[in-house]
Amino acid sequence: MSDTPSALPAIRRLSYAVGHFLNDLCASMWFTYLLVFYHSVLGFQNTYAGVLLLVGQVADAICTPLIGYESDRTPGCGNYGKRKTWHLVGTLSVLLSFAFIFNQCLGCSTDTPQWASLTYFVPFIIIFQFGWAATQISHLSLIPELVTCEHAKVELTAYRYAFTVIANITVYAVAYLLFHVQAGGDDDPLSDALGPADVNIFRNLALIVLAIGALFCIFFHLGTTESRPEGGEEEQEEGERRPLLRRPRTVSSILQWKCWLKQPSFYQVALLYMSTRLIVNLSQTYISMYLINTLGLPKKFIATIPLVMYLSGFLSSFIMKPLSKLIGKCLTYFVGLLLIMAFSYWVLLDDTMGQRVYGAAVLLGAGSATILVISLAMTAELIADQTQSGAFVYGAMSFTDKLANGVAVMIIQALHPCHTVLCCPACVWFYHYIMVIVTGGVAVIATLALCSIIIWPIRIRPRGLPVKAEDEARIN
């Protein structure tokens, strides 16, 4: 394959980019509305709502590296390809489970204990997270297999993130329309607090999300062709095309999952990716609580502010490739961190933000898009031509991300000063400082990880790896 981005036709780039659309739609609802739905709509305690999110994140964290390992070693279903096979399994799991998460407990009543309702939702959350992880890892693992040029990887990642943004915009636009229809066109009811009457809104939103996502998954599977392994092509060579003596390929150029654990760059990128995901996911999770409880804004803002965030992220995704070409990936990532820190300082200093929150949302959206795209591009750079173990790398990165997010949310929920469904005066300042810490505080950690990559660039270090012929290594 040529190293130019044009080696991948536009239609295949488009079909690949939409392959994660269902996951992105569901993830948008999961991180933005899960705590709001279970606490403010179903009336769960803060800790119970946090436990459900923690269960999902831990299940995802466990499934992700295991799926990555299996995705690398299993051949797939017939000629369909191992990545697309896992993608299909994950898609079906998400479609069958997600609608139950954003709905009332079937068979439960007002007298049902909360722990019983919590137990009802746990299996659906685990199935959903398994499917989400299978889809995510298989989709990410296709990037280094579809393109080889570094700039082409950034471009493909940017296209992927552009549709991630479109997915989030879709969720928030539909949510706003559902709130508006519920209000009957009158603006006054939109300022009411969330409550049990909003269950139907979230249920309908989940069903719409699944229907739209399923259509895009069909387009992905029809338009994306997974390349065949190089080893299979070599074995099919016959006659004069087969060389008398094979050129030995060394183990130092073929990293299996155990070898990655000995690479310093593996841990550098893992820390950077984990920090990036903490900023993006935690800010997305608590922005709704901040808007409603700290700023006292109407509930329609939990749809419009995330919409503004992702619109700015969508626009910024188009300048990722030229900017990274001009100043490099590290400096581009640092530009994104500066935007995140600017948002954090704005929130810290302006405790009566009001309508100015739209301007802050633009900074957060553009910064989040920038650091997320570049962190994924750095992960693809780490994998380079090691596509045979690429799914394990993505799985390990996602493991740190999911586990860190779940633990962070559980700690925040446990520290919540109020023990009632309604917000007490103490929670006004609680969410104010949470938004500052999960953006500016975590950005400091991300900056340290970025500095380590600038000082010790991403590369595979052969130190400690035995140099043997590939065929000998397979026998041993």
Side-chain angles (χ1 to χ4, degrees):
M1 181 180 293
S2 172
D3 282 355
T4 61
S6 59
L8 196 66
I11 187 65
R12 289 188 62 191
R13 277 178 280 172
L14 179 63
S15 64
Y16 170 80
V18 303
H20 205 252
F21 201 70
L22 173 63
N23 261 22
D24 292 328
L25 291 168
C26 295
S28 178
M29 283 196 65
W30 173 266
F31 284 110
T32 307
Y33 295 135
L34 187 82
L35 293 182
V36 172
F37 177 72
Y38 281 100
H39 179 63
S40 300
V41 178
L42 295 187
F44 277 39
Q45 297 178 13
N46 282 296
T47 51
Y48 280 174
V51 164
L52 287 175
L53 195 144
L54 176 63
V55 167
Q57 295 304 103
V58 171
D60 197 356
I62 294 173
C63 290
T64 297
L66 295 178
I67 291 172
Y69 175 73
E70 288 297 322
S71 177
D72 284 332
R73 64 186 292 269
T74 54
C77 184
N79 294 326
Y80 201 60
K82 58 184 181 181
R83 309 302 187 194
K84 289 180 65 178
T85 298
W86 277 99
H87 188 283
L88 182 60
V89 171
T91 298
L92 294 176
S93 300
V94 170
L95 291 174
L96 293 175
S97 59
F98 188 71
F100 293 94
I101 297 174
F102 284 92
N103 201 353
Q104 286 179 316
C105 170
L106 299 179
C108 298
S109 63
T110 55
D111 298 327
T112 303
Q114 285 193 0
W115 65 264
S117 298
L118 183 146
T119 305
Y120 166 84
F121 288 112
V122 165
F124 294 111
I125 289 176
I126 293 175
I127 295 173
F128 162 67
Q129 292 294 351
F130 164 80
W132 201 96
T135 305
Q136 181 201 34
I137 296 306
S138 58
H139 192 256
L140 284 172
S141 302
L142 279 171
I143 293 179
E145 296 187 7
L146 293 176
V147 292
T148 56
C149 175
E150 292 303 323
H151 294 303
K153 291 176 183 178
V154 174
E155 181 184 37
L156 207 57
T157 305
Y159 286 156
R160 181 181 185 274
Y161 186 76
F163 277 95
T164 298
V165 175
I166 293 174
N168 282 272
I169 291 172
T170 302
V171 169
Y172 302 134
V174 173
Y176 178 79
L177 291 175
L178 291 174
F179 280 127
H180 190 72
V181 169
Q182 181 199 50
D186 188 358
D187 290 336
D188 291 337
L190 288 175
S191 61
D192 295 338
L194 288 168
D198 297 307
V199 170
N200 291 339
I201 288 181
F202 290 98
R203 181 198 62 200
N204 294 336
L205 180 60
L207 294 175
I208 293 171
V209 157
L210 292 177
I212 296 173
L215 293 176
F216 280 93
C217 284
I218 293 173
F219 180 49
F220 164 78
H221 282 275
L222 293 177
T224 303
T225 303
E226 185 175 342
S227 59
R228 301 292 297 275
E230 294 180 2
E233 295 176 359
E234 292 178 0
E235 293 174 1
Q236 293 176 359
E237 291 179 342
E238 296 181 358
E240 296 180 356
R241 295 176 57 194
R242 176 178 295 174
L244 294 176
L245 296 175
R246 292 185 179 180
R247 289 181 299 174
R249 293 171 61 187
T250 61
V251 170
S252 61
S253 65
I254 303 175
L255 269 67
Q256 300 305 325
W257 70 273
K258 293 180 181 178
C259 301
W260 283 111
L261 301 179
K262 302 176 182 178
Q263 296 295 323
S265 292
F266 178 81
Y267 298 99
Q268 290 176 278
V269 176
L271 179 60
L272 186 78
Y273 184 79
M274 181 191 72
S275 304
T276 300
R277 280 295 187 179
L278 280 173
I279 294 172
V280 174
N281 293 343
L282 291 180
S283 63
Q284 187 177 2
T285 299
Y286 285 100
I287 189 70
S288 297
M289 299 293 195
Y290 171 71
L291 294 171
I292 293 175
N293 297 318
T294 300
L295 299 183
L297 296 171
K299 66 182 180 183
K300 68 177 181 180
F301 278 81
I302 69 173
T304 56
I305 293 301
L307 183 61
V308 170
M309 288 170 50
Y310 280 93
L311 278 173
S312 63
F314 177 72
L315 296 177
S316 64
S317 66
F318 289 104
I319 65 171
M320 299 289 177
K321 182 183 177 182
L323 187 61
S324 66
K325 274 188 174 182
L326 181 63
I327 63 176
K329 288 195 285 288
C330 287
L331 286 180
T332 303
Y333 187 93
F334 185 67
V335 169
L337 283 181
L338 290 178
L339 295 175
I340 297 291
M341 291 179 177
F343 167 83
S344 178
Y345 287 130
W346 192 343
V347 171
L348 178 64
L349 299 176
D350 193 352
D351 54 358
T352 57
M353 193 174 294
Q355 298 291 332
R356 293 186 296 277
V357 71
Y358 283 106
V362 171
L363 294 177
L364 181 59
S368 298
T370 302
I371 62 175
L372 184 55
V373 168
I374 299 302
S375 66
L376 287 172
M378 287 182 176
T379 307
E381 178 185 350
L382 173 68
I383 296 172
D385 59 347
Q386 305 292 334
T387 57
Q388 78 286 339
S389 56
F392 170 78
V393 175
Y394 281 117
M397 299 298 159
S398 191
F399 173 82
T400 62
D401 142 42
K402 307 303 181 186
L403 195 59
N405 274 282
V407 172
V409 169
M410 195 62 237
I411 292 174
I412 292 172
Q413 293 300 106
L415 294 175
H416 197 284
C418 305
H419 301 285
T420 58
V421 175
L422 297 177
C423 180
C424 63
C427 83
V428 174
W429 288 103
F430 178 76
Y431 289 119
H432 174 84
Y433 288 114
I434 287 298
M435 285 305 298
V436 173
I437 294 171
V438 301
T439 52
V442 182
V444 174
I445 301 175
T447 302
L448 296 176
L450 180 65
C451 290
S452 75
I453 292 176
I454 294 175
I455 298 172
W456 299 285
I458 299 172
R459 66 183 181 90
I460 302 299
R461 293 167 172 82
R463 179 182 56 196
L465 293 179
V467 180
K468 300 180 182 178
E470 179 184 358
D471 292 340
E472 181 186 349
R474 287 177 177 172
I475 294 173
N476 295 335

